[in-house]
Amino acid sequence: MVRLFVAIDIPDNIKTYIQGMARAIPKARSVPPDQLHLTLKFIGEVESSLLLDIRDALGRINTPRFSLQLKGVGTFPPRGIPRVLWVGTKTMENKDHLFDLRKQIDKALFAAGITKEKKKFSPHITLARLNNSPIKALQNFLAGNALLESPWFEVTSFTLYSSQLTPKGAIHTVEERYRLR
Ligand code: 3AM
């Protein structure tokens, strides 16, 4: 079995705007800088024999590149105990290429036997996982970073990752990178 997900990589110069941000929050486990990404689709555990079909299906996607900006911060779930601290995104074009890319990926993967996503797509970059972090520290962080904006950057590719869960955290491996048009 192999555990897979599809994501957009964040360029190193853009990561500098967000990496280490959660250090001030007690009981927050920051995502290592080399693992900061925007998940387009969590595929989950599949038979290794499906990997080739998945790679082929994703290779047929033909959507245009687009501009993205990191903007604002928030927590998941929206109600209840916050578990995930994230940075939001903004797209430049009227036609939302980010949502379209996500739709195309879902469609391509469905053809390869992967179930379609029922949950609404909430684009975000996970900054840290929270384990009962003090609410006051979170509120200060959210208020202090509400106006966060990175420079615009061009999304020119998306990536199929495999993820190996270890006691020390997940290890992400690039399976294939796909250029956008
Ligand atoms: O990009 P984020 O951090 O939101 O939490 C995992 C991460 O999401 C998520 O897939 C992304 C890449 O690891 N993930 C892990 N297990 C999941 C599951 N069972 C999951 N998403 C949905 N269902």
Side-chain angles (χ1 to χ4, degrees), residues 3-5 31 37-44 76 84 117 119 124-127 129 163 170 172:
R3 184 181 160 89
L4 300 171
F5 69 96
V31 173
H37 62 263
L38 189 164
T39 300
L40 289 165
K41 167 96 177 174
F42 176 75
I43 299 175
F76 285 148
V84 167
E117 195 59 66
K119 271 196 284 180
H124 65 273
I125 292 107
T126 296
L127 265 185
R129 305 202 185 264
S163 168
H172 295 169

Side-chain angles (χ1 to χ4, degrees), residues 98-132:
L98 174 61
F99 278 74
D100 189 46
L101 174 59
R102 145 80 173 209
K103 208 161 102 190
Q104 296 305 322
I105 287 172
D106 223 19
K107 213 164 115 186
L109 290 173
F110 184 69
I114 307 296
T115 47
K116 278 202 179 160
E117 195 59 66
K118 289 183 200 79
K119 271 196 284 180
K120 188 173 133 283
F121 180 40
S122 304
H124 65 273
I125 292 107
T126 296
L127 265 185
R129 305 202 185 264
L130 309 170
N131 183 14
N132 284 312

Side-chain angles (χ1 to χ4, degrees), residues 17-26 28 30 72-75 84-88 125 127-128 130 133-148:
Y17 287 81
I18 59 168
Q19 67 192 41
M21 268 176 82
R23 265 199 293 256
I25 302 173
S30 290
V73 288
T75 52
V84 167
L85 182 66
W86 51 260
V87 173
I125 292 107
L127 265 185
L130 309 170
S133 294
I135 292 297
K136 193 76 206 147
L138 280 176
Q139 283 170 344
N140 287 341
F141 179 91
L142 295 176
N145 292 292
L147 300 179
L148 175 123

Side-chain angles (χ1 to χ4, degrees), residues 54-65:
I54 289 173
R55 290 170 79 139
D56 275 2
L58 292 174
R60 274 182 243 117
I61 288 173
N62 183 22
T63 57
R65 46 184 67 191

Side-chain angles (χ1 to χ4, degrees), residues 39-51:
T39 300
L40 289 165
K41 167 96 177 174
F42 176 75
I43 299 175
E45 298 265 349
V46 297
E47 292 289 346
S48 305
S49 56
L50 251 189
L51 188 53

